[in-house]
């Protein structure tokens, strides 16, 4: 049960990272900023994640998982408090930065903690629980805030107040869980450690990370600029509907992860890339035709491809990494993935001015499809070479 409690805390933390998604329109009306500012505010979160993963991504291998995760919940609560007080763009930046810090502390460490708390013989199922908690939490954030902001009073207050309550419960439960790192040092001894990859994981890390980059970039687009596309190009202004569309992508990611045990982790990554390319094609059709059904299908198909690739990558790297480096390796994977959330999304924001939102999205879809294709083809070739050499696929 301990790994399920840890996964629930993981999900609650990730809820806060996407909670503002349906609310950006309200903040724009109140504070009067551009669509480019929306993408930069969103990307500040990703840079917060990346900074934490680069500086202390593997610190939990030394000081233990539990103290790092408790710090993540504190940062998430601080983010919610800042959003409750947000009356300027500067406070939005601060709230997103704190949210990024919380996600950075949780992403690699939370995944490793769930795997290590799982009963013996259930490591494969625990891998799904961890990635499902990650993606499920990200998906529930916009759904929760969309429903509360559309149908309950105080749309810029109630979502964050509810999240603070969930964080308090999660903190109390996580406090009671055991530590899984033998000989963990006190948290005050934590020091930044330059990220490094053990030789055992380098062969598959780059293509797996590129696939994660492309998949997370699609999710980043849905959580940052899809509300504006729905409102301005499709006339959908109901925040609950916006939250549901974004939730669909993350829910499909969780469903895609369920396919991985049947496929094997090594096969799941290239097949996930193929499904992701189909999702990007549907996104392009929605942008070009200004149509809602292809956008929903893009969320379903693209999200499923992203989930397949992510769980495959986590499974391959967790199996290959030595236990003493597992937290750092998984953090390194998510560094690349979160660059996928930030850099392409800022690019879309920059191109929106000269090209318009729809055409900027088409450029994005084409670039990400190329990346996914390159990664998938490389991994298929690697899989064939391993079969020829008589090594079993993961």
């Amino acid at each position: 049960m301990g790994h399920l409690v840890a996964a629930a805390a993981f999900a609650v933390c990730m809820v806060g990272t996407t909670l503002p998604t349906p609310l950006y329109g309200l903040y724009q009306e109140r504070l009067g900023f551009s669509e480019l500012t929306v993408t930069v505010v969103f990307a500040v979160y990703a840079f917060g994640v990346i900074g934490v993963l680069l500086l202390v991504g593997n610190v939990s291998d030394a000081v233990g998982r539990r103290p790092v995760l408790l710090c993540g919940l504190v940062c998430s609560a601080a983010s919610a408090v800042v959003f409750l007080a947000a009356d300027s763009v500067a406070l939005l930046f601060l709230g997103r930065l704190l949210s990024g810090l919380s996600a950075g502390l949780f992403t690699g460490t939370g995944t490793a903690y769930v795997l290590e708390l799982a009963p013996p013989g259930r490591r494969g199922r625990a891998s799904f629980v961890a990635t499902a908690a990650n993606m499920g939490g990200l998906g529930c954030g916009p759904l929760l805030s969309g429903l509360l902001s559309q149908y309950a009073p105080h749309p810029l207050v109630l979502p964050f107040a509810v999240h603070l309550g969930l964080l308090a419960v999660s903190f109390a439960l996580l406090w009671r869980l055991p530590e899984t790192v033998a000989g963990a040092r006190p948290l005050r001894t934590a020091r930044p450690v330059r990220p490094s990859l053990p030789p055992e994981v380098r062969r598959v890390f780059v293509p797996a990370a590129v696939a994660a980059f492309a998949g997370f970039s699609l999710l980043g687009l849905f959580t940052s600029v899809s509300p504006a596309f729905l409102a301005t190009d499709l006339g959908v202004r109901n925040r609950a509907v916006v939250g549901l569309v974004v939730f669909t992508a993350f829910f499909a990611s969780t469903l895609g992860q369920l396919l991985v045990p049947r496929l094997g982790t090594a096969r799941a990554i290239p097949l996930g890339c193929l499904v992701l390319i189909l999702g990007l094609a549907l996104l392009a059709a929605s942008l070009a035709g200004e149509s809602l059904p292809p956008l929903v299908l893009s969320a379903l198909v693209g999200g499923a491809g992203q989930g397949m690739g992510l769980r495959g990558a986590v499974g391959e790297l967790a199996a290959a990494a030595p236990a003493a480096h597992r937290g750092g390796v998984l953090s390194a994977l998510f560094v690349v993935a979160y660059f996928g959330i930030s850099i392409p999304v800022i690019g879309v924001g920059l191109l929106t001015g000269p090209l318009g939102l729809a055409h900027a999205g088409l450029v994005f879809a084409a670039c990400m499809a190329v990346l996914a294709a390159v990664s998938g083809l490389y991994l298929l070739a690697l899989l064939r070479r391993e079969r020829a050499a008589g090594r079993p696929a993961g």
Side-chain angles (χ1 to χ4, degrees), residues 1-4 6 112-119 123 177-180:
M1 284 296 293
H3 70 296
L4 297 179
Y113 195 42
V114 171
L115 291 174
E116 290 161 356
L117 283 173
R123 183 62 60 83
L177 290 181
E179 181 54 64
T180 57

Side-chain angles (χ1 to χ4, degrees), residues 34-44 224-225 345-346 348-350:
S34 67
E35 197 59 42
L36 175 59
T37 302
V38 172
T39 60
V40 175
V41 167
F42 180 82
V44 164
S224 61
V225 298
V345 165
I346 292 177
V348 170
L350 290 170

